[in-house]
Amino acid sequence: MTKYTNRTEVPIQEKWNLSDLYANQSKWEEDYRVIEKKAENLKEFDGQIGDGPSLYQYLKQKEELSFLLNKMYAYAMLKVDEDTRDTNSQALLERAKRLNVNVSASTSFFMPFLLSLDEAKLKQYIASDQRLIYFEDDLMESFRYKDHVLSKEQEEVLSQLGEALSSPGYIFGMINNADIKFGVITNKNGENVELTRGMYAKLIEDEDRKKRKEAYKAYYQPYVQLKNSIASTLSTAIKNNVTLAKIRKYPSALEKALFGDKVPKEVYENLITTTKNNLTSLHEYTRIRKEKLKVNELHQYDMSVPLVNGVMKDIPFDEAYRIMYKALSPLGEEYIKILKEFKESRYIDVRETPGKRSGAYNLGIYGVHPFILLNHQDDLDSLFTLVHECGHGVHSKLSSQHQPQITARYSIFVAEVASTVNEVLLINYLLTNETDQKVRQHLLNHFIDQYKGTFFTQVMFAEFEMQTHEMAEKGLPLNVEIFNQIYETLFKEYNGTEIVLDDEVKYGWSRIPHFYRPFYVYKYATGFASAIHLATKILEGDQNTLNTYIEFLKSGSSDYPLELLKKTGVDLTTPFPIENSLKRFGELVGEFSKL
């Protein structure tokens, strides 16, 4: 596996090209000043919008400002993520955040003004200026929020508090990415070395059980040590969500989170209920894992090791990319052409280096292109991650190309569909083209584990979020003991009785960054269920599904997420997609059991 001790060692072709955003920092500073001026100009519209033309001017200038602000903020964020220890980049991001708050304050008057109009008056404005047709759907959508928007003065106060309210997630990010020091492990030469995330991802899959246990204990060590600090950040984040929901007159924090996507809370509750009624196959898989590993006691550090030995091999980045081209070819030539552009034009930051943000993501920037962060480890997991993030990237690219700025950004609710369709196509390609039975078993095992992580684990997280928010809504305390108790109970329910719960298990909540984006993780599971349906149809050669799927990728937020999915043949208001996905998981476990 390729390792780098600092960023300068990484080949230029494996680093993203941020000059596509700004050639240098002075250009960034220029836009910063332009945004400041534009924000001041927007303030002047307060009390001055009285007809169609003045409404159009405000909306046009705000959209221009949003374009620049997104670009400027993205640059600062991407610079920080290259090296979270860099103080200059941190300062840029802090300034971008403050400016974002100032812009929110400058425009906070608008929503209360808009909702003070009656619908007939607004339609009169739109009829008086043809240019407002571009903004019409967005303006009418705002009326859905009428009961949840406060007075002009209250909105201004809330916008000023924006940075403070988002600070728990920021603090956790700094703890988790910049400050955290994992425990010490012994390397192959018997020397003591500090564990890194990249090393942990490898060691938790090591065939040597002692190595796995050592890595597991070292990985959880700082989270247990910092348990009270992290519990405070999470508790504050949850209470902030609950307080904001109350202030804005939503029935609950959950319903506030679902409101924007127009998703009924029954979809969320149905996901959890249907999954919990169908955990037999997951419990069976845990039993098979214990049996295959020939252990008296199954522990959490046994849950990631492949059950088929001697077949793991390195997959260098260039080879991973070639495999991706072949695996995703059922999606058509246009799709593959975009993937080639990602690599050749350096949209991707490939390698793990000290201080770099952990994990992987795609950030689509309208009018520029997507940027993808990876921490590629030259293994099968990294191949899946590449294919997953490129799914998001192509979705961003196609939506930006085919939608105006106002509807180009797709909802997170539909985002995971694009990434997971790619994963299903990848596993199908790998299994179809592999004749070695041992390798086939390994791939099947890998996909079951992916399934478990992307579906079942996310539903478990979703239930953890629901329970903790409900407790906060009842005024009950949230602390280390409460988080531990809820998490451990859920872990046991989902994973079954075959697994012995080490003390570290109950601290699983403390390492999850997604908990700082309320009610986000359930979308992985609904996305996965939708993707299983779509990928199956595409692989069967269903041309209509392929056509509607590509149209879906071009649709951005031109309709509500559930409606966009219905056009592809997936209806998440019924239990069918979830039940279908769980049935498929049962089939995979059955097939693996026979092998």
Side-chain angles (χ1 to χ4, degrees):
M1 185 182 76
T2 315
K3 276 192 177 297
Y4 297 99
T5 55
N6 63 66
R7 191 168 174 81
T8 55
E9 295 174 3
V10 181
I12 189 112
Q13 205 54 40
E14 294 189 350
K15 292 192 276 195
W16 54 28
N17 182 15
L18 295 190
S19 65
D20 289 350
L21 281 166
Y22 291 102
N24 50 54
Q25 195 173 314
S26 64
K27 296 284 184 192
W28 185 89
E29 298 286 356
E30 283 174 26
D31 268 1
Y32 190 96
R33 289 190 290 274
V34 169
I35 293 165
E36 282 183 314
K37 194 169 184 339
K38 283 182 179 289
E40 285 301 312
N41 292 344
L42 286 178
K43 263 189 198 171
E44 292 170 15
F45 281 92
D46 188 0
Q48 302 303 311
I49 301 173
D51 56 18
S54 57
L55 177 58
Y56 173 76
Q57 281 305 321
Y58 170 80
L59 293 170
K60 178 173 173 284
Q61 288 182 37
K62 184 171 182 288
E63 187 178 69
E64 288 168 358
L65 184 150
S66 296
F67 172 76
L68 288 180
L69 184 62
N70 287 341
K71 193 177 152 194
M72 189 211 69
Y73 196 101
Y75 180 82
M77 188 186 105
L78 296 170
K79 286 299 287 180
V80 165
D81 289 352
E82 287 179 353
D83 188 347
T84 56
R85 306 164 303 177
D86 186 83
T87 51
N88 180 56
S89 301
Q90 287 174 17
L92 280 188
L93 186 56
E94 277 303 308
R95 288 174 62 204
K97 284 181 175 179
R98 280 199 302 275
L99 187 56
N100 193 30
V101 168
N102 293 342
V103 169
S104 292
S106 299
T107 58
S108 61
F109 75 89
F110 181 72
M111 193 61 90
F113 155 74
L114 184 66
L115 297 182
S116 72
L117 301 174
D118 58 46
E119 206 168 317
K121 185 75 170 172
L122 178 59
K123 285 181 173 172
Q124 190 183 321
Y125 281 1
I126 294 166
S128 74
D129 193 326
Q130 284 289 300
R131 296 173 300 176
L132 280 169
I133 291 169
Y134 173 77
F135 295 104
E136 183 173 11
D137 286 348
D138 217 42
L139 289 167
M140 300 315 293
E141 162 69 4
S142 298
F143 273 87
R144 270 209 317 129
Y145 289 83
K146 200 172 179 86
D147 295 337
H148 309 295
V149 173
L150 310 175
S151 71
K152 177 181 145 187
E153 291 74 22
Q154 289 169 320
E155 286 294 340
E156 193 160 340
V157 169
L158 271 187
S159 66
Q160 293 285 2
L161 288 171
E163 191 173 353
L165 291 169
S166 64
S167 63
Y170 180 72
I171 293 165
F172 175 76
M174 293 308 289
I175 292 171
N176 203 34
N177 293 307
D179 294 342
I180 215 158
K181 295 278 183 225
F182 296 107
V184 170
I185 58 164
T186 50
N187 66 13
K188 285 176 184 174
N189 303 323
E191 301 160 333
N192 284 348
V193 292
E194 188 187 312
L195 184 72
T196 68
R197 286 182 205 279
M199 287 160 65
Y200 178 71
K202 283 282 191 188
L203 288 169
I204 202 64
E205 296 181 359
D206 201 288
E207 290 172 15
D208 184 337
R209 198 177 191 214
K210 284 181 183 171
K211 284 276 174 212
R212 294 202 303 273
K213 183 177 179 179
E214 185 184 37
Y216 175 75
K217 298 284 183 188
Y219 180 72
Y220 270 89
Q221 183 184 303
Y223 292 109
V224 176
Q225 285 172 343
L226 296 166
K227 61 189 177 186
N228 290 302
S229 299
I230 298 174
S232 296
T233 60
L234 182 57
S235 172
T236 306
I238 291 167
K239 287 171 185 172
N240 284 353
N241 299 336
V242 167
T243 302
L244 280 171
K246 277 182 189 164
I247 288 171
R248 292 202 175 279
K249 302 183 182 71
Y250 287 95
S252 66
L254 172 60
E255 283 158 287
K256 178 181 179 292
L258 302 179
F259 188 82
D261 286 330
K262 212 176 179 182
V263 171
K265 71 174 179 153
E266 288 73 24
V267 170
Y268 194 98
E269 291 164 346
N270 167 60
L271 170 68
I272 292 171
T273 306
T274 308
T275 304
K276 289 190 88 167
N277 289 339
N278 290 274
L279 289 172
T280 312
S281 296
L282 183 58
H283 294 169
E284 171 65 7
Y285 177 59
T286 307
R287 188 196 63 72
I288 292 168
R289 178 167 277 281
K290 181 181 178 183
E291 186 183 293
K292 295 284 182 194
L293 290 174
K294 296 182 175 67
V295 292
N296 293 326
E297 288 185 348
L298 187 73
H299 292 259
Q300 194 180 7
Y301 49 80
D302 299 318
M303 298 299 278
S304 299
V305 61
L307 297 178
V308 184
N309 297 329
V311 296
M312 293 184 74
K313 60 172 186 174
D314 278 359
I315 308 171
F317 182 68
D318 286 344
E319 187 187 340
Y321 225 90
R322 283 192 295 273
I323 292 169
M324 178 167 68
Y325 288 150
K326 291 172 184 170
L328 303 186
S329 60
L331 296 175
E333 287 179 22
E334 181 188 9
Y335 199 100
I336 302 303
K337 190 179 170 189
I338 294 170
L339 292 178
K340 286 179 178 170
E341 184 186 338
F342 283 9
K343 189 166 188 275
E344 290 162 7
S345 299
R346 293 173 49 209
Y347 296 179
I348 307 175
D349 206 77
V350 179
R351 297 294 171 185
E352 180 187 34
T353 48
K356 184 177 172 180
R357 176 176 163 153
S358 63
Y361 65 71
N362 162 74
L363 181 67
I365 302 162
Y366 186 81
V368 188
H369 58 70
F371 288 86
I372 293 173
L373 178 135
L374 302 174
N375 281 276
H376 196 81
Q377 301 291 326
D378 292 348
D379 59 13
L380 189 63
D381 272 334
S382 292
L383 168 61
F384 270 90
T385 301
L386 169 68
V387 166
H388 180 103
E389 296 305 335
C390 283
H392 290 312
V394 175
H395 195 180
S396 297
K397 180 87 174 169
L398 287 173
S399 284
S400 288
Q401 279 179 341
H402 294 273
Q403 295 294 323
Q405 185 178 338
I406 201 165
T407 53
R409 280 184 80 172
Y410 50 79
S411 160
I412 292 168
F413 189 92
V414 296
E416 295 308 320
V417 177
S419 52
T420 311
V421 162
N422 282 11
E423 289 193 53
V424 179
L425 293 178
L426 173 63
I427 193 68
N428 178 77
Y429 170 81
L430 294 172
L431 285 168
T432 303
N433 290 279
E434 186 57 66
T435 53
D436 185 306
Q437 278 301 99
K438 239 187 159 184
V439 177
R440 285 179 60 79
Q441 288 169 27
H442 173 68
L443 289 168
L444 201 53
N445 175 203
H446 186 275
F447 190 52
I448 289 170
D449 284 340
Q450 288 280 107
Y451 217 121
K452 182 173 175 277
T454 312
F455 188 86
F456 290 100
T457 302
Q458 305 308 323
V459 177
M460 183 182 81
F461 288 168
E463 189 170 1
F464 176 85
E465 284 193 282
M466 191 167 76
Q467 286 191 28
T468 51
H469 278 78
E470 283 173 355
M471 288 186 73
E473 281 161 351
K474 289 171 185 168
L476 298 170
L478 292 176
N479 52 42
V480 173
E481 285 73 26
I482 299 295
F483 289 144
N484 283 356
Q485 184 188 327
I486 294 171
Y487 194 88
E488 189 171 51
T489 302
L490 289 173
F491 189 90
K492 204 182 293 184
E493 283 176 9
Y494 280 80
N495 290 283
T497 54
E498 293 286 354
I499 188 165
V500 174
L501 301 185
D502 294 301
D503 195 51
E504 288 84 357
V505 167
K506 65 186 178 216
Y507 292 99
W509 57 268
S510 66
R511 59 182 185 83
I512 311 298
H514 288 101
F515 288 160
Y516 297 86
R517 297 180 72 175
F519 303 106
Y520 168 88
V521 292
Y522 87 100
K523 299 172 189 182
Y524 285 109
T526 52
F528 198 92
S530 305
I532 291 289
H533 172 88
L534 291 166
T536 304
K537 292 279 191 186
I538 289 165
L539 288 167
E540 286 170 358
D542 186 327
Q543 193 59 43
N544 182 54
T545 299
L546 177 59
N547 294 343
T548 54
Y549 176 63
I550 297 298
E551 281 307 306
F552 162 81
L553 295 180
K554 295 175 180 177
S555 298
S557 58
S558 58
D559 205 342
Y560 293 112
L562 293 179
E563 297 308 312
L564 289 173
L565 282 169
K566 278 180 189 174
K567 290 170 191 172
T568 69
V570 176
D571 186 356
L572 285 166
T573 61
T574 70
F576 174 73
I578 309 301
E579 288 170 349
N580 195 36
S581 179
L582 291 161
K583 180 170 167 264
R584 180 68 186 124
F585 181 79
E587 289 167 359
L588 288 167
V589 171
E591 194 179 335
F592 183 71
S593 180
K594 284 174 195 168
L595 286 170

